[in-house]
Amino acid sequence: MSSAPRRPARLLTRRLLQLYVGLALYGASSAFLVRAGLGLDPWDVFHQGLAERTGWSIGTVSVAVGALVLLLWLPLRQRPGLGTLSNVFAVGLSMDATLAVLPDAHGALAQGALLTAGIVLNGAATGLYISARFGPGPRDGLMTGLHRRTGRSVRLVRTGIELTVLAAGFLLGGTAGIGTLAYAVAIGPLAQLFLRVFALPEPPRLPGAGPVAGGTPLPKPEPAPAPAPAGN
């Protein structure tokens, strides 16, 4: 019996595994940054600031903000995929679960090690779930939607969003610091590296056929981009 019919099924299984492992690791990596106490990525500075004000867990706030950002897709005519909807819930739940068992780091050495592990794990998680091609996260979709509607570059739109949520989160009491800067510098190269590591083979398509259901083409890189934080 030919193994050809099994190949799409195996590819789908691998894509689903990459999606959910990637989202779970993304939430865990965010928890690492929280426990390191040296500063979070811009969106989590915002989430933490809101958590301080509302009394909710940071993971719950992440879920709520993700759902609200998803509503902003409507006027931008963005279409969510399985990865988009899964992202809203999986990252926040994984973050809270990791925070429940991971203690705070004490001392510069432990903090630096946890910060480094969190940033590297975040890059790996980004490569995993984006390479699965099930749709962008709500925050990434907001970026690409604004890019299409305004005609501004992805880099400019992304920087504007990141600076806005970082400033708002800092004013609300979120933690920004050396870890925030380290994340901003390192996450771009790490995400690019792990996108290559976890890249999946393109499924065979008939000439003239449309994109694979649920698939999301990766954006073409802009010439000489400056390092920018990656979001979900």
Side-chain angles (χ1 to χ4, degrees), residues 30-223:
S30 298
F32 281 22
L33 299 182
V34 172
R35 293 302 190 216
L38 296 174
L40 309 178
D41 69 88
W43 275 103
D44 279 336
V45 172
F46 182 59
H47 297 152
Q48 188 183 53
L50 283 177
E52 292 287 336
R53 300 288 180 168
T54 62
W56 296 356
S57 72
I58 189 171
T60 301
V61 170
S62 175
V63 171
V65 170
L68 290 174
V69 170
L70 196 55
L71 293 178
L72 297 178
W73 283 32
L74 297 177
L76 298 175
R77 298 181 181 178
Q78 290 280 90
R79 297 179 61 184
L82 174 64
T84 309
L85 301 176
S86 299
N87 187 300
V88 171
F89 297 100
V91 171
L93 293 174
S94 173
M95 189 176 184
D96 273 351
T98 305
L99 287 171
V101 299
L102 184 67
D104 287 331
H106 298 287
L109 184 61
Q111 288 178 293
L114 197 57
L115 173 68
T116 302
I119 293 174
V120 173
L121 186 60
N122 192 278
T126 299
L128 274 167
Y129 91 81
I130 290 181
S131 295
R133 302 193 303 265
F134 277 111
R139 297 157 185 83
D140 286 332
L142 176 63
M143 171 192 69
T144 55
L146 287 172
H147 159 64
R148 285 202 307 267
R149 293 298 296 270
T150 65
R152 302 295 184 181
S153 70
V154 169
R155 178 169 48 185
L156 179 62
V157 171
R158 183 55 176 267
T159 300
I161 293 173
E162 298 282 347
L163 290 177
T164 299
V165 296
L166 176 60
F170 182 74
L171 292 174
L172 289 169
T175 304
I178 188 64
T180 308
L181 178 60
Y183 183 93
V185 170
I187 195 62
L190 284 171
Q192 183 175 357
L193 168 65
F194 285 110
L195 280 168
R196 292 172 180 165
V197 170
F198 298 117
L200 294 172
E202 289 287 344
R205 284 180 284 172
L206 295 175
V212 179
T216 303
L218 299 178
K220 295 181 179 178
E222 297 180 17

